[in-house]
Amino acid sequence: MDKIYVLGAGTMGAGIAQTIASAGIRVIVRDINQELVDRGMAIITANLEKLEGKGKIMTAEKEAVLSRITGTTDMALAADCDLVIEAAVENMAIKKKIFSELDALCKQETILSTNTSSLSITEVAAATRRPDRVIGMHFFNPAPIMKLVEIIKGIATSDHTFDRVKQLSERIGKTPVKVAEAPGFVVNRILIPMINEAVAIYAEGIASARDIDTAMKLGANHPIGPLALGDLIGLDVCLAVMDVLYQEFGDPKYRAHPTLRTYVRAGWLGMKSEKGFYDYAR
Ligand SMILES: CC(=O)CC(=O)SCCNC(=O)CCNC(=O)[C@H](O)C(C)(C)COP(=O)(O)OP(=O)(O)OC[C@H]1O[C@@H](n2cnc3c(N)ncnc32)[C@H](O)[C@@H]1OP(=O)(O)O
Ligand SMILES: NC(=O)C1=CN([C@@H]2O[C@H](COP(=O)(O)OP(=O)(O)OC[C@H]3O[C@@H](n4cnc5c(N)ncnc54)[C@H](O)[C@@H]3O)[C@@H](O)[C@H]2O)C=CC1
Protein backbone atom coordinates (compact mmCIF):
# COMPACT_ATOMS: atom_id res chain seq x y z
CA MET A 1 0.00 0.00 0.00
CA ASP A 2 1.60 3.24 -1.17
CA LYS A 3 -1.08 5.84 -0.73
CA ILE A 4 -3.54 6.11 2.12
CA TYR A 5 -6.47 8.47 2.64
CA VAL A 6 -7.52 9.36 6.19
CA LEU A 7 -10.96 10.84 6.61
CA GLY A 8 -11.20 13.14 9.65
CA ALA A 9 -8.37 15.28 11.03
CA GLY A 10 -9.54 15.21 14.65
CA THR A 11 -8.06 13.44 17.68
CA MET A 12 -7.62 10.13 15.86
CA GLY A 13 -7.31 11.15 12.19
CA ALA A 14 -4.32 13.43 12.87
CA GLY A 15 -2.55 10.77 14.97
CA ILE A 16 -3.21 8.04 12.39
CA ALA A 17 -1.92 10.23 9.55
CA GLN A 18 1.25 11.01 11.56
CA THR A 19 1.80 7.31 12.28
CA ILE A 20 1.46 6.33 8.61
CA ALA A 21 3.68 9.13 7.31
CA SER A 22 6.31 8.30 9.94
CA ALA A 23 6.44 4.79 8.47
CA GLY A 24 7.37 6.25 5.06
CA ILE A 25 3.96 6.04 3.40
CA ARG A 26 2.19 8.94 1.65
CA VAL A 27 -1.05 9.99 3.31
CA ILE A 28 -3.85 12.41 2.51
CA VAL A 29 -5.88 13.67 5.47
CA ARG A 30 -9.29 15.15 4.87
CA ASP A 31 -11.71 17.14 7.01
CA ILE A 32 -14.87 19.03 6.18
CA ASN A 33 -13.40 22.54 6.16
CA GLN A 34 -9.95 24.11 5.84
CA GLU A 35 -9.89 25.30 9.45
CA LEU A 36 -10.26 21.72 10.72
CA VAL A 37 -7.64 20.48 8.24
CA ASP A 38 -5.25 23.19 9.46
CA ARG A 39 -5.95 22.28 13.10
CA GLY A 40 -5.13 18.62 12.38
CA MET A 41 -1.93 19.56 10.55
CA ALA A 42 -0.94 21.83 13.47
CA ILE A 43 -1.36 18.94 15.92
CA ILE A 44 0.86 16.71 13.77
CA THR A 45 3.50 19.44 13.40
CA ALA A 46 3.50 20.10 17.16
CA ASN A 47 3.87 16.36 17.92
CA LEU A 48 6.80 16.05 15.53
CA GLU A 49 8.42 19.21 16.92
CA LYS A 50 8.16 17.70 20.40
CA LEU A 51 9.96 14.58 19.18
CA GLU A 52 12.57 16.80 17.51
CA GLY A 53 13.00 18.82 20.72
CA LYS A 54 13.69 15.60 22.64
CA GLY A 55 16.24 14.55 20.03
CA LYS A 56 14.12 11.52 19.03
CA ILE A 57 13.99 12.60 15.39
CA MET A 58 16.24 14.86 13.32
CA THR A 59 14.91 18.03 11.67
CA ALA A 60 15.29 16.42 8.23
CA GLU A 61 13.15 13.47 9.29
CA LYS A 62 10.46 15.79 10.66
CA GLU A 63 10.42 17.62 7.33
CA ALA A 64 10.27 14.34 5.42
CA VAL A 65 7.32 13.07 7.49
CA LEU A 66 5.46 16.37 6.99
CA SER A 67 6.18 16.31 3.24
CA ARG A 68 4.40 12.94 3.01
CA ILE A 69 1.16 14.37 4.47
CA THR A 70 -1.30 16.34 2.35
CA GLY A 71 -4.16 18.11 4.09
CA THR A 72 -7.32 18.58 2.02
CA THR A 73 -11.07 19.09 2.03
CA ASP A 74 -11.38 17.25 -1.31
CA MET A 75 -13.07 13.82 -1.19
CA ALA A 76 -12.12 13.15 -4.81
CA LEU A 77 -8.48 12.64 -3.80
CA ALA A 78 -9.54 9.31 -2.27
CA ALA A 79 -10.19 7.92 -5.77
CA ASP A 80 -6.79 6.33 -6.44
CA CYS A 81 -5.76 5.51 -2.85
CA ASP A 82 -5.06 1.91 -1.81
CA LEU A 83 -6.69 2.25 1.57
CA VAL A 84 -9.11 4.68 3.20
CA ILE A 85 -9.18 4.93 6.99
CA GLU A 86 -12.35 6.67 8.13
CA ALA A 87 -11.98 8.51 11.46
CA ALA A 88 -15.01 10.81 11.41
CA VAL A 89 -17.59 11.00 14.17
CA GLU A 90 -18.97 7.90 15.94
CA ASN A 91 -22.37 7.94 14.28
CA MET A 92 -23.72 5.14 12.08
CA ALA A 93 -25.81 7.37 9.77
CA ILE A 94 -22.81 9.61 9.04
CA LYS A 95 -20.47 6.64 8.50
CA LYS A 96 -22.93 4.99 6.08
CA LYS A 97 -23.20 8.21 4.07
CA ILE A 98 -19.40 8.53 3.94
CA PHE A 99 -18.91 4.89 2.89
CA SER A 100 -21.53 5.10 0.17
CA GLU A 101 -19.79 8.19 -1.21
CA LEU A 102 -16.36 6.56 -0.98
CA ASP A 103 -17.65 3.43 -2.72
CA ALA A 104 -18.82 5.48 -5.69
CA LEU A 105 -15.55 7.42 -5.82
CA CYS A 106 -12.74 4.94 -5.16
CA LYS A 107 -11.11 2.54 -7.58
CA GLN A 108 -12.20 -1.10 -7.45
CA GLU A 109 -9.27 -2.34 -5.35
CA THR A 110 -9.42 0.35 -2.65
CA ILE A 111 -9.99 -1.09 0.81
CA LEU A 112 -12.38 1.01 2.91
CA SER A 113 -11.68 0.76 6.63
CA THR A 114 -13.30 2.39 9.64
CA ASN A 115 -11.66 3.36 12.91
CA THR A 116 -15.04 3.03 14.65
CA SER A 117 -14.90 2.46 18.42
CA SER A 118 -17.97 0.28 18.62
CA LEU A 119 -20.18 0.16 15.54
CA SER A 120 -21.03 -2.80 13.29
CA ILE A 121 -18.61 -3.23 10.38
CA THR A 122 -21.25 -5.32 8.58
CA GLU A 123 -23.73 -2.44 8.70
CA VAL A 124 -21.17 0.10 7.45
CA ALA A 125 -20.16 -2.33 4.67
CA ALA A 126 -23.78 -2.76 3.59
CA ALA A 127 -23.79 0.89 2.52
CA THR A 128 -21.30 -0.07 -0.23
CA ARG A 129 -21.18 -2.48 -3.19
CA ARG A 130 -17.83 -3.83 -1.98
CA PRO A 131 -18.56 -5.37 1.45
CA ASP A 132 -15.67 -7.82 0.92
CA ARG A 133 -13.30 -4.82 0.93
CA VAL A 134 -14.69 -3.10 4.03
CA ILE A 135 -13.07 -3.73 7.42
CA GLY A 136 -12.57 -2.29 10.91
CA MET A 137 -9.10 -0.92 11.63
CA HIS A 138 -9.29 0.32 15.21
CA PHE A 139 -6.39 2.41 16.48
CA PHE A 140 -5.94 3.62 20.06
CA ASN A 141 -5.41 7.11 21.42
CA PRO A 142 -2.77 8.57 21.15
CA ALA A 143 -2.35 6.76 17.83
CA PRO A 144 1.38 7.46 17.37
CA ILE A 145 2.13 5.88 20.79
CA MET A 146 -0.34 3.05 21.31
CA LYS A 147 0.81 -0.23 19.79
CA LEU A 148 -2.51 -2.01 19.29
CA VAL A 149 -4.73 -2.17 16.22
CA GLU A 150 -7.90 -4.25 16.50
CA ILE A 151 -8.79 -5.63 13.07
CA ILE A 152 -12.45 -6.49 12.73
CA LYS A 153 -14.01 -8.41 9.86
CA GLY A 154 -17.64 -7.84 8.98
CA ILE A 155 -19.70 -10.82 7.81
CA ALA A 156 -18.64 -10.34 4.16
CA THR A 157 -15.04 -9.10 4.63
CA SER A 158 -12.61 -11.26 2.65
CA ASP A 159 -9.50 -12.95 4.05
CA HIS A 160 -7.49 -11.07 1.43
CA THR A 161 -8.70 -7.71 2.82
CA PHE A 162 -7.87 -8.86 6.35
CA ASP A 163 -4.37 -9.99 5.33
CA ARG A 164 -3.58 -6.70 3.59
CA VAL A 165 -4.70 -4.60 6.57
CA LYS A 166 -2.77 -6.87 8.94
CA GLN A 167 0.38 -6.47 6.84
CA LEU A 168 -0.01 -2.69 6.78
CA SER A 169 -0.59 -2.55 10.56
CA GLU A 170 2.68 -4.40 11.11
CA ARG A 171 4.50 -2.22 8.58
CA ILE A 172 3.53 0.94 10.52
CA GLY A 173 4.81 -0.57 13.77
CA LYS A 174 1.55 -1.77 15.31
CA THR A 175 0.56 -5.11 16.79
CA PRO A 176 -2.71 -6.27 15.25
CA VAL A 177 -5.23 -8.52 16.97
CA LYS A 178 -8.04 -10.25 15.11
CA VAL A 179 -11.43 -9.56 16.64
CA ALA A 180 -14.81 -10.95 15.62
CA GLU A 181 -17.51 -8.36 15.10
CA ALA A 182 -19.17 -7.48 18.41
CA PRO A 183 -20.23 -4.14 19.91
CA GLY A 184 -17.17 -2.34 21.32
CA PHE A 185 -14.90 -5.19 20.12
CA VAL A 186 -12.49 -6.16 22.96
CA VAL A 187 -10.87 -3.09 24.47
CA ASN A 188 -13.80 -0.68 24.54
CA ARG A 189 -16.23 -3.26 25.91
CA ILE A 190 -13.98 -3.36 28.98
CA LEU A 191 -12.55 0.15 29.08
CA ILE A 192 -15.55 2.40 28.42
CA PRO A 193 -17.87 0.79 31.04
CA MET A 194 -14.96 1.27 33.49
CA ILE A 195 -14.86 4.99 32.66
CA ASN A 196 -18.68 5.13 32.98
CA GLU A 197 -18.37 3.55 36.44
CA ALA A 198 -15.79 6.18 37.43
CA VAL A 199 -18.28 8.87 36.36
CA ALA A 200 -20.90 7.21 38.63
CA ILE A 201 -18.48 7.22 41.58
CA TYR A 202 -17.72 10.88 40.91
CA ALA A 203 -21.42 11.82 40.55
CA GLU A 204 -22.27 10.01 43.82
CA GLY A 205 -19.70 12.20 45.60
CA ILE A 206 -17.71 9.18 46.78
CA ALA A 207 -14.38 10.78 45.86
CA SER A 208 -13.07 13.77 43.93
CA ALA A 209 -12.04 13.38 40.29
CA ARG A 210 -8.40 13.63 41.23
CA ASP A 211 -8.73 11.04 44.03
CA ILE A 212 -10.63 8.59 41.78
CA ASP A 213 -7.82 8.86 39.24
CA THR A 214 -5.09 8.60 41.88
CA ALA A 215 -6.82 5.50 43.28
CA MET A 216 -6.81 3.74 39.91
CA LYS A 217 -3.26 4.83 39.06
CA LEU A 218 -1.77 3.69 42.34
CA GLY A 219 -4.22 0.91 43.15
CA ALA A 220 -4.47 -0.73 39.74
CA ASN A 221 -1.29 0.54 38.07
CA HIS A 222 -3.13 2.30 35.23
CA PRO A 223 -0.99 4.91 33.46
CA ILE A 224 -3.70 7.55 33.90
CA GLY A 225 -6.95 7.45 35.86
CA PRO A 226 -10.33 6.67 34.22
CA LEU A 227 -11.65 10.26 34.29
CA ALA A 228 -8.45 11.65 32.75
CA LEU A 229 -8.72 8.86 30.18
CA GLY A 230 -12.32 9.83 29.40
CA ASP A 231 -11.10 13.40 28.83
CA LEU A 232 -8.31 12.10 26.55
CA ILE A 233 -10.66 9.90 24.49
CA GLY A 234 -13.42 12.55 24.30
CA LEU A 235 -16.53 12.26 26.49
CA ASP A 236 -18.72 12.37 23.36
CA VAL A 237 -16.92 9.27 22.06
CA CYS A 238 -17.32 7.54 25.46
CA LEU A 239 -21.05 8.33 25.48
CA ALA A 240 -21.49 7.14 21.89
CA VAL A 241 -19.80 3.82 22.76
CA MET A 242 -21.93 3.33 25.91
CA ASP A 243 -25.09 4.01 23.88
CA VAL A 244 -24.06 1.44 21.25
CA LEU A 245 -23.28 -1.19 23.93
CA TYR A 246 -26.64 -0.52 25.61
CA GLN A 247 -28.65 -0.61 22.38
CA GLU A 248 -26.92 -3.67 20.96
CA PHE A 249 -26.85 -5.87 24.08
CA GLY A 250 -30.05 -4.53 25.68
CA ASP A 251 -28.36 -5.04 29.06
CA PRO A 252 -28.86 -2.29 31.67
CA LYS A 253 -25.30 -2.75 32.91
CA TYR A 254 -24.24 -0.70 29.87
CA ARG A 255 -26.50 2.30 30.64
CA ALA A 256 -24.58 5.56 30.25
CA HIS A 257 -24.45 7.53 33.49
CA PRO A 258 -26.66 10.67 33.25
CA THR A 259 -23.72 12.84 34.33
CA LEU A 260 -21.70 11.64 31.33
CA ARG A 261 -24.62 12.63 29.08
CA THR A 262 -24.98 16.01 30.80
CA TYR A 263 -21.28 16.79 30.30
CA VAL A 264 -21.61 16.04 26.58
CA ARG A 265 -24.76 18.16 26.35
CA ALA A 266 -22.81 21.02 27.98
CA GLY A 267 -20.05 20.66 25.37
CA TRP A 268 -17.62 19.51 28.09
CA LEU A 269 -15.97 16.90 25.89
CA GLY A 270 -12.57 16.69 27.61
CA MET A 271 -9.19 17.78 26.25
CA LYS A 272 -10.47 18.66 22.77
CA SER A 273 -12.92 21.26 24.18
CA GLU A 274 -10.49 22.27 26.96
CA LYS A 275 -12.98 21.14 29.61
CA GLY A 276 -14.14 17.79 30.90
CA PHE A 277 -13.51 16.34 34.34
CA TYR A 278 -10.42 18.59 34.35
CA ASP A 279 -9.68 22.01 32.85
CA TYR A 280 -7.21 22.20 29.96
CA ALA A 281 -7.56 25.87 29.00
CA ARG A 282 -4.15 27.32 28.11
C1 LIG B 1 -11.98 5.09 22.55
C2 LIG B 1 -11.39 4.07 21.65
O1 LIG B 1 -12.00 3.70 20.66
C3 LIG B 1 -10.12 3.41 21.91
C4 LIG B 1 -9.10 4.12 22.75
O2 LIG B 1 -8.27 4.79 22.22
S1 LIG B 1 -9.18 3.88 24.39
C5 LIG B 1 -7.81 4.80 25.01
C6 LIG B 1 -6.53 4.02 24.95
N1 LIG B 1 -5.47 4.80 25.48
C7 LIG B 1 -5.03 4.68 26.72
O3 LIG B 1 -5.51 3.89 27.50
C8 LIG B 1 -3.93 5.64 27.11
C9 LIG B 1 -3.58 5.57 28.56
N2 LIG B 1 -2.55 6.52 28.86
C10 LIG B 1 -1.24 6.27 28.58
O4 LIG B 1 -0.89 5.20 28.13
C11 LIG B 1 -0.29 7.37 28.88
O5 LIG B 1 -0.87 8.26 29.80
C12 LIG B 1 0.18 8.15 27.62
C13 LIG B 1 1.00 7.25 26.73
C14 LIG B 1 -1.00 8.70 26.85
C15 LIG B 1 1.01 9.34 28.08
O6 LIG B 1 2.01 8.87 28.90
P1 LIG B 1 2.38 9.58 30.29
O7 LIG B 1 3.55 8.87 30.81
O8 LIG B 1 1.13 9.61 31.09
O9 LIG B 1 2.69 11.07 29.90
P2 LIG B 1 3.94 11.65 29.14
O10 LIG B 1 5.21 11.36 29.89
O11 LIG B 1 3.56 13.06 28.89
O12 LIG B 1 3.96 10.88 27.76
C16 LIG B 1 4.69 9.69 27.49
C17 LIG B 1 5.10 9.77 26.04
O13 LIG B 1 3.94 9.79 25.19
C18 LIG B 1 3.99 10.98 24.35
N3 LIG B 1 2.61 11.47 24.16
C19 LIG B 1 1.73 11.77 25.13
N4 LIG B 1 0.57 12.17 24.58
C20 LIG B 1 0.73 12.14 23.23
C21 LIG B 1 -0.09 12.46 22.12
N5 LIG B 1 -1.35 12.88 22.26
N6 LIG B 1 0.42 12.29 20.87
C22 LIG B 1 1.67 11.87 20.68
N7 LIG B 1 2.51 11.54 21.70
C23 LIG B 1 2.05 11.69 22.96
C24 LIG B 1 4.82 11.96 25.13
O14 LIG B 1 5.39 12.93 24.28
C25 LIG B 1 5.86 11.06 25.78
O15 LIG B 1 6.89 10.74 24.84
P3 LIG B 1 8.38 10.35 25.33
O16 LIG B 1 8.31 9.06 26.07
O17 LIG B 1 9.09 10.22 24.02
O18 LIG B 1 8.85 11.49 26.18
N1 LIG C 1 -11.00 9.56 20.58
C1 LIG C 1 -10.54 8.33 20.74
O1 LIG C 1 -9.86 8.03 21.75
C2 LIG C 1 -10.83 7.29 19.72
C3 LIG C 1 -11.81 7.46 18.76
N2 LIG C 1 -12.04 6.49 17.83
C4 LIG C 1 -13.05 6.67 16.80
O2 LIG C 1 -12.48 7.44 15.77
C5 LIG C 1 -13.48 8.25 15.16
C6 LIG C 1 -13.05 9.71 15.27
O3 LIG C 1 -12.96 10.06 16.63
P1 LIG C 1 -12.15 11.33 17.13
O4 LIG C 1 -10.97 11.55 16.29
O5 LIG C 1 -12.00 11.17 18.58
O6 LIG C 1 -13.24 12.48 16.88
P2 LIG C 1 -13.00 14.04 16.72
O7 LIG C 1 -14.32 14.68 17.07
O8 LIG C 1 -11.79 14.49 17.43
O9 LIG C 1 -12.72 14.21 15.16
C7 LIG C 1 -13.62 13.83 14.17
C8 LIG C 1 -13.32 14.68 12.96
O10 LIG C 1 -14.01 14.15 11.83
C9 LIG C 1 -14.46 15.23 11.07
N3 LIG C 1 -15.49 14.80 10.13
C10 LIG C 1 -16.81 14.63 10.32
N4 LIG C 1 -17.40 14.23 9.16
C11 LIG C 1 -16.41 14.13 8.23
C12 LIG C 1 -16.38 13.81 6.85
N5 LIG C 1 -17.47 13.48 6.18
N6 LIG C 1 -15.17 13.83 6.22
C13 LIG C 1 -14.05 14.15 6.89
N7 LIG C 1 -14.04 14.50 8.19
C14 LIG C 1 -15.20 14.48 8.85
C15 LIG C 1 -14.90 16.26 12.08
O11 LIG C 1 -14.97 17.55 11.50
C16 LIG C 1 -13.78 16.14 13.13
O12 LIG C 1 -12.70 17.00 12.87
C17 LIG C 1 -14.80 7.91 15.86
O13 LIG C 1 -15.46 6.91 15.14
C18 LIG C 1 -14.31 7.41 17.22
O14 LIG C 1 -15.24 6.55 17.83
C19 LIG C 1 -11.29 5.34 17.79
C20 LIG C 1 -10.26 5.15 18.66
C21 LIG C 1 -9.99 6.08 19.74
Side-chain angles (χ1 to χ4, degrees), residues 5-14 16 30-33 36 39 75 86-91 94-95 97-98 101 114-119 138-142 188 229 232-234 236-237 240-241 269 272:
Y5 188 89
V6 176
L7 214 126
T11 308
M12 291 308 290
I16 293 168
R30 190 249 172 179
D31 213 302
I32 48 183
N33 64 46
L36 292 166
R39 200 180 63 178
M75 266 303 250
E86 172 274 320
V89 284
E90 188 72 347
N91 175 297
I94 292 173
K95 290 201 193 294
K97 191 164 169 284
I98 289 171
E101 200 180 331
T114 172
N115 183 50
T116 178
S117 296
S118 60
L119 295 165
H138 186 211
F139 289 83
F140 290 79
N141 185 8
N188 284 343
L229 184 57
L232 172 75
I233 291 169
D236 53 338
V237 175
V241 174
L269 307 181
K272 67 182 163 190

Side-chain angles (χ1 to χ4, degrees), residues 46 48 57 111 133 144 146 154 159 165 187 218:
L48 292 170
I57 56 169
I111 293 174
R133 278 153 287 153
M146 304 297 284
D159 288 341
V165 169
V187 174
L218 303 186

